[in-house]
Structures are given as structure tokens and as C-alpha cells.
Amino acid sequence: MGEKIKETTGIYLHEVREAGGKAWEATQHALAAAGARAARYGKVMQRKLDLAAVDRKFEGCYRDLGRLAFVAHRMGDRSFFDRPDTLELLADLHDLGEKREALVREIEMARAGPEEEAAASEQAEEGSATAEEERHL
């Protein structure tokens, strides 16, 4: 009877270990997926903070440009767009607009996930290659 108990206990322990291994694998998979989602969320939030900073800079530049335009108009300055400070502000606005567009694309790609992010970057590369070819024509 002692051997019967040992045999039954051995089978039971093997089943418990097997079930425990499957549970551990499922737990590891769930933790990895949650970690990936958390990292993606962190990336999205950081890009949103960067986007807010760029928007504040853009608004400040836009306000300064409007102020300069108003002063130039009141003074009767007809060469407003030829002035160096105006050209500098317009260049800054252009750069900030490009940064904003890039951040918005990064946020969309980070939200999409790794599979869709790879597909979107491939499409962007194809689009830039097509645009480059059109420039040469």
C-alpha cells in the first residue's frame, strides 16, 4: 500500500508541476504584454508633453509676429516681410510646425502598437522615396 501512495503522489506532483509551469508561462506573457503597453503609454505621454511645449513656443512666436505686424502697419512700414526679425520669426514658426507634425505622427505610431508602427514607418519610407523621385523629375 505504501508503494501505491508513492505512485499516486508522484503522478499528482507531476500534474501540479505541469499546471504550475503553464500558469507561470501565462503570467510571464501577461506581464510582458502589460509592460509593453505601459512603455507605449509612457512614450505617448512624453510625446504629448513635448507637443504641448512646442505648441506654447508656436503660440509665443505667432504672438510676436502679430505684434511686429501691427507695429509695422501702424508705422506705415510696407517692407514688413523683408525685415530680418520677421523672416526669423517665420522660419521659427515653420520649424515649430514641422516639429509638431513629427510629434503628432510619433504619438499616432506609439498608440498603434509595434505591428502597425512598422507598417506605418514602411509607408513613410515609400512616400519619402516617391517624393524624392518626383523632385528629380
Side-chain angles (χ1 to χ4, degrees), residues 20-30:
K22 289 179 183 177
W24 177 247
E25 288 175 12
T27 302
Q28 284 180 321
H29 179 70

Side-chain angles (χ1 to χ4, degrees), residues 51 54 57 93-106:
L51 182 60
V54 167
K57 289 179 185 177
L93 283 170
H94 180 73
D95 291 343
L96 289 170
E98 287 181 351
K99 283 181 186 177
R100 185 181 195 294
E101 290 174 8
L103 286 169
V104 167
R105 279 193 305 271
E106 286 182 25

